[in-house]
Amino acid sequence: MTFAGVVAGEWGKLTGLRSTWWAALVSVVVSGALTYVSAEASSGDPGYEPLGDLTAGLVLTQLGPLVLGVLVGTGEFSTGGFRSAFVAVPRRWLVPAAQAVAVAGFALPLAVGCVAAAVLAVFPAASSRGLPVDLGGGSVPWELAGMVVFLTGLALFGFAVGALVRRVVPALVVVCCLTLVLPVVLTLAVESGGAAFAGEVTPQERAANTVMTLLPSGAGGLLVMPSDALPVAGGPDLGAVGGGLVFAAWALVPFGAAVVRLRLRDVT
């Protein structure tokens, strides 16, 4: 079987599940709803900037692509479908490679839909204040593109961890801890520690902010930051390119490990 044929098969399995479409729909709705609520809440501020709320919904919107990726990565092993899959495709590495292509192919338009929903959600608040929404000004186009890349990358990160761990619950725990729980824990640790003097970065803050910057949500978050945004105090100044490379590593490393495990170890 050719690689294109394997991709077509994986695409059919992915899009043939009703849960896939429900996850996509919920992600778009959550993105639009959270952005709308945030924009309405902040529109009363004197210095209100309509496009400042575009990323307000990403905290929860990212769950949809993450879960989608994990379910695809673990699907063959949780259902026992790997037996027939690897009989039909003796070169095992073709299966996860085709799944990655299918996940990216589905996650990309899903991410575009989530970003479009966020953009539409800021218009009511901006209109109520008579403020224009300039989507082509400054670094806004890059930030919108960064949001699409961030959400698509999260789906691939979830898929890679799922393909490596092979179990749904442990894989979900790993990706949720790395993207949602650990950043909150580190933020609380920094706040509880405080700074000895105003403007001083303590070693505790430096260590916590460095780890937060290198986590998937931190590195990927640099893709959606304005070009003139300052780095987190004490954290490495990676910029959008450096953040994108670190973010890509979070997907590539577990994916490579999953392929190696698939080639060298039994799949049962």
Side-chain angles (χ1 to χ4, degrees):
M1 182 177 290
T2 64
F3 182 66
V6 182
V7 172
E10 296 300 333
W11 176 261
K13 287 191 288 186
L14 174 62
T15 57
L17 295 175
R18 186 178 300 176
S19 58
T20 299
W21 297 102
W22 275 112
L25 177 61
V26 170
S27 298
V28 174
V29 171
V30 167
S31 177
L34 289 182
T35 306
Y36 173 80
V37 171
S38 178
E40 290 292 329
S42 58
S43 62
D45 297 338
Y48 171 63
E49 292 289 342
L51 295 178
D53 293 296
L54 274 179
T55 60
L58 282 181
V59 174
L60 291 182
T61 303
Q62 62 184 334
L63 279 174
L66 270 176
V67 172
L68 177 67
V70 168
L71 293 180
V72 174
T74 59
E76 297 287 358
F77 302 98
S78 60
T79 63
F82 65 86
R83 297 182 178 87
S84 57
F86 294 135
V87 169
V89 187
R91 289 184 294 173
R92 294 176 178 179
W93 67 271
L94 287 177
V95 174
Q99 289 175 331
V101 173
V103 169
F106 189 87
L108 181 59
L110 167 60
V112 172
C114 292
V115 174
V119 170
L120 293 175
V122 304
F123 274 92
S127 299
S128 66
R129 294 284 308 276
L131 296 173
V133 179
D134 184 11
L135 297 176
S139 60
V140 175
W142 291 106
E143 294 169 28
L144 295 175
M147 292 172 67
V148 172
V149 173
F150 178 57
L151 292 173
T152 304
L154 283 174
L156 290 172
F157 167 60
F159 162 74
V161 173
L164 177 61
V165 177
R166 299 182 179 179
R167 298 292 183 270
V168 176
V169 173
L172 285 175
V173 170
V174 169
V175 297
C176 287
C177 285
L178 288 173
T179 57
L180 298 174
V181 178
L182 191 53
V184 173
V185 172
L186 291 171
T187 300
L188 294 176
V190 170
E191 292 177 350
S192 63
F197 302 98
E200 180 183 351
V201 180
T202 65
Q204 183 184 16
E205 288 178 314
R206 190 180 304 279
N209 289 337
T210 298
V211 174
M212 279 196 290
T213 302
L214 297 177
L215 288 174
S217 54
L222 295 175
L223 296 171
V224 304
M225 297 289 287
S227 57
D228 57 349
L230 297 175
V232 179
D237 186 8
L238 299 177
V241 175
L245 292 175
V246 173
F247 185 50
W250 277 103
L252 291 175
V253 171
F255 177 75
V259 171
V260 171
R261 182 186 182 190
L262 197 59
R263 288 175 60 87
L264 301 180
R265 302 280 299 276
D266 198 347
V267 294
T268 58

